[in-house]
Amino acid sequence: MNKILTLGAAALASALLLTGCGTTQPATDSASEEGNKVTLTDATGHRITLDQPATKVIATEWMPVEDLVTLGIDPVGISDIKGYTRWNHSAPLRTKPADIGTRGEPSMDTIARLSPDLIVATQTLSSAAVKQMRAIAPVLVLQDGDRNDQVGRMMQNLDLIAKATGTTKQAEQVKKDFDTKVDQSRKAIADAGLQGTKVANADGYKTSNQITIRAFTRGSQVGTMNELIGLKSAWTLQPKENSGLVTTDVEALTRLGDAPFLYIPWAGKENDLFKQQMASNSLWQSLPFVEKGKVHRLDDTIWQFGGPRSMSRYAQAVTEALTT
């Protein structure tokens, strides 16, 4: 699995006062409509023109798949259907799209056979693959994250997809629903006296007896959501990638104090590092948040890199974990 707001508290509070949840700002990427034609500029600066809003759409990543389904568009092809169905229950597929291969290496032959109006990809896909796809159909490349404003980027991507598919009204409702969910979670956190509480998100895996921890810092998507609902990150690690993730070791966990520890297993409940492989690890057992029972395993069908529906479910799950 490809497993982003670094706003200070004052800046975040100011943004929330000015814009509700700060999530319904229009996309900065340009788009215009003339008659039925739609012109868009994607994250790479590439400009595409559609004669009419796209209806036959292919998505090479799960984030745009979720957005398409959320907007009422059933993609004709997606990458790794089995993986999407396993990890993203926030926007379940309503139809049976074609499987176009892996997210990193989609099948160009399959894509060509589907004759799409539009292909939606992200910058994680190689430029060579994008070039090949542009010979088949218009390609809208999205920035898959922004460690400085993950939720803002999430909404900009939603807006671009909505403009490309003629579903801007649906997108506005999606954003309103998201803001409502965030407001509810923020109120519940405040009512429980937990506003400003530091939490730590992570997952991890073990290979060749070596344990690797992936810290979801305040620049990650879920870290951004934590701040939106009134929490703070216990991680002080500074991410370099737009995902907001930092790979570290078990020793880093000792610097979290007794901050509640939130995680979704790397490989699902069947391979839960913290519950299974680390159950007999003396360092893990000695950590303050473990000793105080502050380890919270969240629903592993919440895609931590998803769109508004996934992040709404995440906010609700964290709120319930901390307040019940």
Side-chain angles (χ1 to χ4, degrees):
M1 294 181 298
N2 292 338
K3 293 274 213 250
I4 316 191
L5 178 76
T6 51
L7 292 171
L12 179 64
S14 176
L16 294 176
L17 285 172
L18 289 172
T19 63
C21 289
T23 60
T24 55
Q25 296 299 314
T28 57
D29 306 82
S30 62
S32 61
E33 299 180 21
E34 183 179 349
N36 288 328
K37 285 191 175 183
V38 181
T39 300
L40 301 148
T41 303
D42 70 10
T44 67
H46 186 79
R47 194 170 179 85
I48 65 172
T49 298
L50 306 174
D51 290 335
Q52 58 188 7
T55 57
K56 293 180 64 179
V57 186
I58 285 175
T60 68
E61 254 297 347
W62 295 347
M63 177 268 290
V65 172
E66 178 181 330
D67 283 349
L68 285 165
V69 174
T70 300
L71 293 170
I73 302 295
D74 296 314
V76 297
I78 71 172
S79 297
D80 187 5
I81 292 176
K82 183 177 179 180
Y84 180 84
T85 303
R86 164 65 182 85
W87 290 104
N88 192 327
H89 288 201
S90 303
L93 299 172
R94 294 179 293 257
T95 59
K96 294 182 178 180
D99 193 315
I100 64 169
T102 67
R103 290 182 286 160
E105 296 182 3
S107 166
M108 298 301 162
D109 288 339
T110 303
I111 291 174
R113 284 198 298 270
L114 293 171
S115 300
D117 301 329
L118 178 70
I119 304 168
V120 185
T122 69
Q123 288 181 304
T124 56
L125 193 62
S126 71
S127 57
V130 172
K131 183 177 181 180
Q132 285 182 282
M133 292 190 302
R134 283 188 171 137
I136 300 171
V139 180
L140 179 65
V141 180
L142 307 176
Q143 182 174 323
D144 57 323
D146 181 352
R147 64 184 182 272
N148 295 312
D149 186 7
Q150 292 288 10
V151 171
R153 173 53 56 184
M154 176 181 75
M155 292 305 184
Q156 289 177 18
N157 287 337
L158 179 76
D159 282 341
L160 273 177
I161 293 173
K163 290 167 183 172
T165 57
T167 56
T168 54
K169 289 184 179 180
Q170 292 90 326
E172 290 306 310
Q173 187 59 53
V174 170
K175 289 186 284 187
K176 289 178 182 177
D177 292 344
F178 174 81
D179 285 349
T180 297
K181 294 291 187 181
V182 169
D183 287 340
Q184 291 171 348
S185 291
R186 187 166 57 243
K187 183 179 185 302
I189 291 292
D191 289 348
L194 297 174
Q195 190 170 21
T197 297
K198 289 185 177 182
V199 299
N201 292 71
D203 64 17
Y205 52 92
K206 185 176 183 179
T207 54
S208 302
N209 294 320
Q210 180 69 36
I211 294 176
T212 299
I213 303 297
R214 293 197 315 168
F216 287 66
T217 72
R218 66 193 302 245
S220 67
Q221 186 129 319
V222 293
T224 300
M225 290 301 302
N226 290 340
E227 293 206 0
L228 279 180
I229 64 176
L231 304 171
K232 293 183 178 180
S233 177
W235 290 112
T236 58
L237 299 169
Q238 298 299 314
K240 295 181 180 180
E241 304 296 331
N242 268 333
S243 66
L245 272 61
V246 176
T247 300
T248 186
D249 54 25
V250 177
E251 296 294 329
L253 299 175
T254 64
R255 297 190 286 273
L256 297 176
D258 65 351
F261 186 79
L262 311 169
Y263 78 98
I264 293 175
W266 170 274
K269 59 185 178 182
E270 64 274 13
N271 189 17
D272 187 330
L273 173 74
F274 303 112
K275 187 176 181 179
Q276 298 168 3
Q277 290 95 326
M278 292 183 69
S280 59
N281 184 294
S282 58
L283 186 151
W284 170 257
Q285 294 298 334
S286 69
L287 295 171
F289 58 81
V290 176
E291 292 181 330
K292 296 183 179 181
K294 293 185 177 182
V295 178
H296 304 282
R297 179 184 175 278
L298 306 179
D299 185 346
D300 59 15
T301 66
I302 299 173
W303 182 235
Q304 297 177 92
F305 311 90
R309 280 194 183 177
S310 285
M311 291 302 99
S312 293
R313 287 186 62 214
Y314 171 79
Q316 182 178 1
V318 171
T319 303
E320 290 177 353
L322 297 180
T323 60
T324 59

